[in-house]
Structure formats: C-alpha cells, structure tokens
C-alpha cells in the first residue's frame, strides 16, 4: 500500500486525466460511487434516513454532489448544503451540481447558508457527509467552512468524510484551526499521509 502526500496524489490525478485520458468528472463519479458503497456498508440503506451532505466549492464538493445524487436515488431524506456561491464552484463541481438539480427539488439545496442555518440543518440528521475541503488545504480553515465544521461536530449524527476530514492537513495530520470529527473516512486513490499522523 502506498501512502502519499497531497502533492503526490494531485500528480497522480493529473496523470490519470492527461495521460490515461480519464476525464475529471469520471474520477468524480467513481469517487462518489465508492463513497456510497462504503457508507451503505457502515450504515445500511439510506432509505428514509435524514442525510445532510455539506459540499465545498472545489472537487471535494463535486464528489459530495455525486453522493447526493446517488443518495436521492436510494430514497434518503436529503438536504444538500453548498457552502459557497454557485458561481464559485469548480468546473467539474458545476457539472455535478447540474446533474443533481435534475433529480432533486431546489428546496432541498441550501446555498451559502448562515451559521445559524448550518446548525439547524445538521442538528437532527442521521448521517452527515463532509465534502467541504479536500487534500489541497494548507492554511487555517476560515468561515464559512469553519462554521460548517463546527455545526457538523455539534451534531450527534454518524459523520462520513469524503477523502479526508475537512480541516486536516493531508501531509502532517495537523488540525488547521478546526477539523471534522469523522466516524468514517472514505479516501480515494492512495491513503493520505495525514490520516496516519497526529
């Protein structure tokens, strides 16, 4: 098993996209499908469960939007939170947002909510999914991301982190101000070094 730094993983992803000609959105679909498989193994069917998926503006958020679409098809009682204006989404995340918009009602998506709304949305969830910040994080977590992480940590819900818990430095394992306290982390490609250090 290879354990990699953030830079090494980004290089591997770039080579997969450029040399193997695998589009970024295909990698995103694979990541979301893999996360869904592990989530069902850990929590059982999401049908009828209150699931809140918190997505950032980058590709980690795009992975979360894929999970949201798959959750909707499995009958979860879904709420999707996008913690940024939609115009700031990465190109691939925008594609996944459009795909999600075709399968769930607009009222189930909260865009750039207030700190109070984040707490209200996460408070009574059965499952929370952290797709806020990925392996590229290298500075202290700032609002609104810190607000979203604090809201998740205040909830009693089972919490699943996509790729790495948001707020964790993927190279050192250091908490960059605040980090998601995940019950399960589903990582992709290779395990990240920071998952094994503290």
């Amino acid at each position: 098993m290879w354990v990699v730094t953030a830079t090494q993983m980004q290089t591997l992803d770039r080579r997969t996209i450029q040399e193997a000609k695998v589009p970024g959105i295909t990698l995103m679909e694979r990541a979301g499908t893999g996360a869904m498989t592990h989530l069902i193994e850990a929590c059982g069917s999401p049908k009828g469960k209150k699931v809140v998926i918190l997505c950032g503006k980058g590709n980690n958020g795009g992975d979360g939007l894929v999970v949201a679409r798959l959750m909707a098809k499995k009958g979860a009682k879904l709420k999707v939170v996008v913690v940024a204006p939609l115009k700031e989404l990465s190109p691939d995340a925008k594609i996944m947002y459009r795909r999600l918009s075709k399968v769930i009602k607009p009222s189930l998506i909260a865009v750039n909510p207030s700190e109070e709304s984040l707490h209200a949305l996460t408070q009574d969830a059965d499952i929370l999914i952290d797709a806020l910040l990925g392996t590229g994080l290298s500075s202290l977590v700032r609002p609104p991301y810190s607000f979203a992480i604090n809201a998740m940590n205040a909830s009693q819900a089972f919490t699943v982190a996509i790729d790495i818990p948001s707020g964790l430095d993927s190279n050192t394992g250091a908490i960059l101000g605040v980090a998601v306290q995940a019950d399960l982390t589903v990582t992709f490609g290779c395990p990240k070094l920071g998952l094994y250090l503290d």
Side-chain angles (χ1 to χ4, degrees):
M1 177 177 73
W2 287 0
V3 178
V4 298
T5 65
T7 302
Q8 288 169 330
M9 193 64 237
Q10 288 159 7
T11 300
L12 288 170
D13 281 344
R14 190 166 49 251
R15 289 185 64 188
T16 302
I17 292 166
Q18 293 174 354
E19 295 174 25
K21 308 294 184 196
V22 179
I25 55 171
T26 300
L27 294 178
M28 218 170 253
E29 286 285 357
R30 288 178 186 169
T33 302
M36 189 74 181
T37 299
H38 288 286
L39 201 148
I40 290 171
E41 285 174 5
C43 301
S45 171
K47 186 172 184 178
K49 292 177 181 169
K50 293 180 182 175
V51 180
V52 181
I53 303 178
L54 293 96
C55 302
K57 63 185 179 182
N59 288 346
N60 191 250
D63 295 340
L65 294 168
V66 174
V67 175
R69 191 177 76 244
L70 298 174
M71 280 279 180
K73 291 179 178 178
K74 293 278 187 186
K77 292 180 181 175
L78 192 63
K79 278 283 187 181
V80 180
V81 179
V82 181
V83 188
L86 295 179
K87 65 183 180 184
E88 294 182 10
L89 291 178
S90 73
D92 287 349
K94 279 181 182 168
I95 291 170
M96 295 311 174
Y97 181 84
R98 286 195 292 271
R99 290 182 181 178
L100 175 65
S101 300
K102 291 176 181 174
V103 298
I104 69 171
K105 297 176 183 174
S107 61
L108 298 178
I109 304 174
V111 178
N112 208 13
S114 67
E115 185 176 7
E116 295 76 17
S117 295
L118 285 164
H119 279 278
L121 285 161
T122 55
Q123 175 175 319
D124 65 345
D126 298 312
I127 299 169
L128 293 175
I129 298 176
D130 161 31
L132 291 166
L133 299 164
T135 58
L137 182 69
S138 58
S139 59
L140 289 179
V141 179
R142 295 185 295 272
Y145 291 91
S146 57
F147 295 156
I149 291 171
N150 286 331
M152 293 179 80
N153 288 344
S155 172
Q156 297 299 308
F158 187 87
T159 301
V160 181
I162 303 293
D163 208 16
I164 193 163
S166 293
L168 198 69
D169 185 301
S170 59
N171 295 323
T172 67
I175 293 173
L176 297 171
V178 63
V180 169
Q181 296 164 6
D183 298 298
L184 173 68
T185 298
V186 182
T187 197
F188 311 118
C190 301
K192 314 309 179 290
L193 185 60
L195 293 171
Y196 297 93
L197 302 173
D198 60 12

